[in-house]
Each structure stands twice: as C-alpha cells, then as structure tokens.
Amino acid sequence: MTGRALIKGLSGTASLVLAAACLVPGTAFGATATVEVGNTFKFTPKVVTIDQGDTVTWNWVGPDVNHDVYEGVPPPTAADPIPPALFGSHPDIAVPGDIVAPPPGDTYSHTFAAAGTYNYWCRRHRGMTASIVVNAVEPAPVTPSAEPVAQQAAPRPVCVSKRNFKIRIRQPKGTARIATVKVTVNGKPVTPSLEGKRFTAPVDLRGFATGTYEVQIVATTADGKTLRGTRRYRTCAAKLASASLPPL
C-alpha cells in the first residue's frame, strides 16, 4: 500500500513518488520553547529544559544570520569529519562555509520524543554551542473509579510504530537525470541508494511512539537544478491517500 506526492521544485517541476506504509499527516502536541540564533554569535538561552513531546523553535535574529543548528558536539579540530546529526536546520548544506542565511522562514523546529540531553552547535562557528535537556514524562496515575467495572470504558491500546518503508524517487520527465539525492527523516540524514534507474532511501519508524515525523528530500539534476520536497507522516493511523503538495 503506497502514498504518492507530487513535489514541485524551485527550478522545475518533477514528480517525486513517495512509497510509504499506512501513515497520515498529523500535528504533534506539546509545549514549545524558543531559542534565538545570532545576535553576536550565540544561542540564547544556552540551555533549555523541556518535557518529552515538547518542541523547540530556533529563531534567527541577527544581525549575524550565517549560522545553523546541528545536533552533537564539534569534532576535535575543524579538519575532522562532521558526523551525521539527529536533527539539523540546514540538511541540504554539506559544507559549513556555505551557511550564509537562516532556513526558510527564519525559523527551525524540532520535537523531542525521547528524554535525554541533546547538545548542538553551529557548524560554521565552532564556539557556538548549546544544549536541550528533555525530562522524562511519567504516565499519569490511574485513579480507581467508584463505578462498576462493567460501566468503565476500555483503555485504549498504546501504539508503537512498526513502519519501515522506502521512499522511491522517479526520474522526472522533461528534465535532466537526477544526479544526487539527500533525504532526512525527522532531521536525521539517511543514505539513499541507486536501484536500477531510481534512487531509494530507507525510512525506519519502528519503535517510534504515536506522533508526526517529517521526511525532507533534496534532489539535484545533472544540469544543476534543485528539486525539494517535504512530507510529514503520522504513525499508528490509517492509510495515506494520494495527495499533491503545493509548489515550493
């Protein structure tokens, strides 16, 4: 069972066929915390404490805006390779020196589903570091009801995602062949592969709680055109019908 999405690129129109299991777009719930990026090369506040399921939104305030948000800690030296991140504001930029502007809309958001401490930094300015502390949320205690058991509503089952599928990217008609593809799932890069004439990329949501997860696709054609697409999926829900995304 598949879902299809028509993605229109900045430099042309292309069909990116997303083959997915039973998922539908949805909205994540929780509180939102904000962090300012820039304003004399810093993250403000430097440490943010939230609960599981909450979202952090980074706002680029300048006047310096040539920064990104990249999960992890800086490598020992600038010459060392930068490891993949769990989340990042500029997934389509591989060279730190190419970061010259904020992401679209001057903001970037990430929802934290798991407890723990998440360090992050600016890949262009190694001294810009900060962290997000995510507190575990315990389930609310169940209060016994005085009503007879037969009249109480049956508890809803807790859903843990078993979704594990591939995104297939079809060669657009009327454009140069796709040369490279970058895919991130909820801010985490995954490795595409070329199967025949199509690129594919794994999207593994197994073990994820009920929630909304984002897939971003950046395809570059042989003549230098860039095609972008963003799709959000909600786990533990019904089938996703075919739909068209608006032009980017």
Side-chain angles (χ1 to χ4, degrees):
M1 303 175 71
T2 63
R4 296 181 180 269
L6 177 63
I7 312 291
K8 293 186 177 180
L10 293 175
S11 305
T13 302
S15 294
L16 300 183
V17 180
L18 308 184
C22 300
L23 304 171
V24 297
T27 302
F29 296 95
T32 300
T34 59
V35 176
E36 291 186 349
V37 181
N39 193 13
T40 317
F41 300 89
K42 61 179 180 291
F43 296 110
T44 307
K46 190 177 178 66
V47 178
V48 172
T49 301
I50 59 174
D51 292 333
Q52 278 181 275
D54 289 350
T55 299
V56 175
T57 296
W58 287 266
N59 300 312
W60 273 250
V61 296
D64 48 304
V65 294
N66 56 338
H67 311 298
D68 76 337
V69 170
Y70 197 83
E71 184 269 337
V73 296
T77 70
D80 292 321
I82 298 174
L86 294 175
F87 59 87
S89 60
H90 294 66
D92 55 338
I93 295 180
V95 180
D98 292 343
I99 301 168
V100 296
D106 296 346
T107 66
Y108 166 71
S109 297
H110 180 74
T111 300
F112 292 82
T117 297
Y118 297 82
N119 299 307
Y120 65 94
W121 58 299
C122 170
R123 288 181 295 167
R124 184 158 183 175
H125 306 99
R126 293 165 52 84
M128 287 180 61
T129 61
S131 60
I132 306 296
V133 178
V134 182
N135 293 325
V137 176
E138 297 294 335
V142 177
T143 302
S145 173
E147 297 180 1
V149 174
Q151 297 181 12
Q152 295 182 9
R156 298 180 61 183
V158 177
C159 177
V160 175
S161 175
K162 297 180 181 178
R163 306 306 183 195
N164 181 28
F165 55 93
K166 286 185 178 180
I167 291 176
R168 296 181 297 174
I169 303 173
R170 184 173 59 192
Q171 174 64 43
K173 294 182 180 179
T175 64
R177 67 177 179 82
I178 293 178
T180 62
V181 174
K182 294 180 180 179
V183 178
T184 60
V185 179
N186 211 35
K188 182 178 180 180
V190 298
T191 302
S193 60
L194 185 61
E195 298 181 1
K197 296 183 179 180
R198 294 183 182 179
F199 282 92
T200 66
V203 179
D204 190 351
L205 301 179
R206 289 175 294 184
F208 283 40
T210 301
T212 300
Y213 302 94
E214 183 176 273
V215 175
Q216 292 185 339
I217 307 157
V218 180
T220 304
T221 61
D223 58 358
K225 293 181 180 179
T226 300
L227 310 173
R228 301 174 185 271
T230 299
R231 192 70 171 171
R232 293 178 177 85
Y233 298 101
R234 185 171 176 82
T235 57
C236 304
K239 177 183 177 182
L240 173 66
S242 298
S244 294
L245 293 179
L248 299 177

